[in-house]
Amino acid sequence: MMKFRKPAQRNQAVKVLAYGENGSGKSIFALSFPQIGYVDSESKVGVYENDPRFKDNLVGIADTAEYYNVISLMETVIKDTKNFSTLVVDSLTSINEGMEVAAMEQEEARAKKKGGNIDDATVSMRGWGKIKLNTTRVSQLIAQASSKGITTVSIAHKKDITQDVGGKQVKVGERAALRPNAEHSYDIILKFYKEKDMVTQEMKYYAEVEKDTTNTYKVGTKLENVTYDNFRDYIERSNQSETIKAEYDKTIETTVGNMKQEQTSHDELVAEFKVLYKEKLAKDPTNKEIITNMMKEKDVVKYNDTAKSAQLKELIEDMKKL
């Protein structure tokens, strides 16, 4: 059983989300971090592998956008805190899009097998549920990495936010091209963009701080050529503390196991109730009305509902007294 722990100074690494337009410096920012396990889903980092600025930061590079490979690689980094201190996933958008394509191809295969028109196939609710489950598992692994003292840098594309104005979709902002509310999982969110200097005609690279729970920068601060050094003090100060035991990565499996156990226990109660109900009616037919009233009093008319396990257990004990 999970217990509360005492508050303490802990090594909880930061979770960074870097998103923005193409070529705005997101990958270069990520490469400035130390001891990186780099998941490259878009074949971007190859041009920097031997760059003297970054090559010493890279412990390992994995060239894949396949979801299950990414999960395995994230688990590898989490288990090896001696060699890795940073996990980079570049980009989460690409991995999510890959899952959507895979789900769509599954639906088309089902339609073809049934003799339907594959052009009419759409991702089912079950398919979207699986995608949501997979993205949740990634988020939980990011949280687990943080609890182990591993800084995570998640890179994402940008997506326009629009609203209807006079029957037309008008752009009102931008956000990371990830699942809705993904930003809640991160400690630092930086929106990357580039601008041409009107005097020198050279391109300049910026990141706007949209969130920073480390209080290193105020929201709205614009950082030019942002790197690991901008957050070095906070990260390295945190690294001096102890990590805590956490099992965010086991959340889904543990919850599923508990739900199965809960269902099994409830099924056993239902089976016991049914046997006892027949016995009591055989003993005295008037018990039917008594038991019906007891069920209403304890709000277990729908006794198959697992949320009613405690009330059903009480009902069974009372029925035994009849």
Side-chain angles (χ1 to χ4, degrees), residues 2 4 8 28 68 121 125 168 176 194:
M2 191 69 182
F4 286 106
I28 290 177
Y68 292 100
M125 290 297 293
K168 295 183 179 180
K194 55 190 176 183

Side-chain angles (χ1 to χ4, degrees), residues 45-307:
V45 76
V47 295
Y48 300 116
E49 288 185 40
N50 289 315
D51 190 312
R53 296 174 296 169
F54 310 124
K55 66 178 183 179
D56 291 338
N57 292 343
L58 288 162
V59 176
I61 303 166
D63 307 289
T64 182
E66 200 276 323
Y67 166 77
Y68 292 100
N69 284 338
V70 173
I71 290 295
S72 178
L73 290 161
M74 293 176 76
E75 290 172 341
T76 297
V77 171
I78 290 169
K79 292 174 183 176
D80 190 2
T81 56
K82 180 179 179 181
N83 290 307
F84 295 101
S85 63
T86 307
L87 168 64
V88 176
V89 181
D90 184 1
S91 71
L92 276 180
T93 303
S94 178
I95 293 165
N96 289 349
E97 288 174 348
M99 287 191 287
E100 292 179 17
V101 170
M104 188 63 204
E105 289 184 349
Q106 283 186 329
E107 296 299 338
E108 289 178 352
R110 290 193 187 99
K112 185 176 181 180
K113 187 175 181 180
K114 293 178 180 179
N117 187 343
I118 63 172
D119 292 332
D120 294 333
T122 58
V123 178
S124 64
M125 290 297 293
R126 182 179 181 181
W128 285 118
K130 182 63 175 176
I131 292 170
K132 184 177 180 181
L133 175 66
N134 288 348
T135 55
T136 299
R137 185 174 278 112
V138 170
S139 295
Q140 290 170 347
L141 282 170
I142 289 172
Q144 183 68 6
S146 171
S147 73
K148 295 294 184 182
I150 297 171
T151 300
T152 59
V153 181
S154 302
I155 296 178
H157 303 172
K158 74 176 180 69
K159 181 178 181 179
D160 291 341
I161 302 172
T162 62
Q163 68 179 33
D164 187 273
V165 178
K168 295 183 179 180
Q169 290 297 311
V170 178
K171 178 180 175 179
V172 295
E174 296 173 340
R175 68 175 182 85
L178 297 173
R179 62 181 174 81
N181 301 316
E183 65 274 9
H184 296 302
S185 302
Y186 294 94
D187 306 304
I188 298 170
I189 300 178
L190 302 174
K191 182 173 76 171
F192 284 72
Y193 62 98
K194 55 190 176 183
E195 291 180 349
K196 181 175 286 189
D197 188 288
M198 299 304 293
V199 177
T200 65
Q201 296 299 300
E202 293 181 351
M203 197 65 72
K204 291 192 172 184
Y205 300 89
Y206 300 94
E208 181 179 348
V209 179
E210 293 191 340
K211 181 180 181 181
D212 183 6
T213 60
T214 71
N215 294 317
T216 303
Y217 295 100
K218 292 182 178 179
V219 171
T221 301
K222 293 177 174 58
L223 306 171
E224 185 176 1
N225 298 324
V226 61
T227 67
Y228 169 77
D229 287 337
N230 289 83
F231 300 96
R232 179 191 294 271
D233 288 347
Y234 179 89
I235 292 171
E236 296 187 356
R237 186 168 64 249
S238 177
N239 287 343
Q240 296 173 8
S241 305
E242 295 293 324
T243 58
I244 64 163
K245 181 180 179 181
E247 295 184 343
Y248 296 107
D249 55 333
K250 300 294 191 300
T251 299
I252 293 175
E253 289 78 5
T254 301
T255 302
V256 169
N258 289 338
M259 288 174 70
K260 286 181 178 178
Q261 181 58 47
E262 181 183 55
Q263 184 64 56
T264 299
S265 299
H266 188 77
D267 289 346
E268 291 172 352
L269 284 174
V270 170
E272 183 180 1
F273 165 76
K274 289 180 176 179
V275 171
L276 189 59
Y277 181 78
K278 290 179 180 179
E279 289 178 355
K280 295 303 178 181
L281 262 62
K283 178 181 178 181
D284 185 350
T286 61
N287 281 333
K288 180 177 182 180
E289 184 177 354
I290 296 173
I291 294 174
T292 299
N293 289 333
M294 291 166 64
M295 292 174 70
K296 291 178 180 178
E297 290 174 4
K298 296 187 180 297
D299 191 25
V300 284
V301 175
K302 297 181 179 179
Y303 55 80
N304 284 318
D305 185 355
T306 55

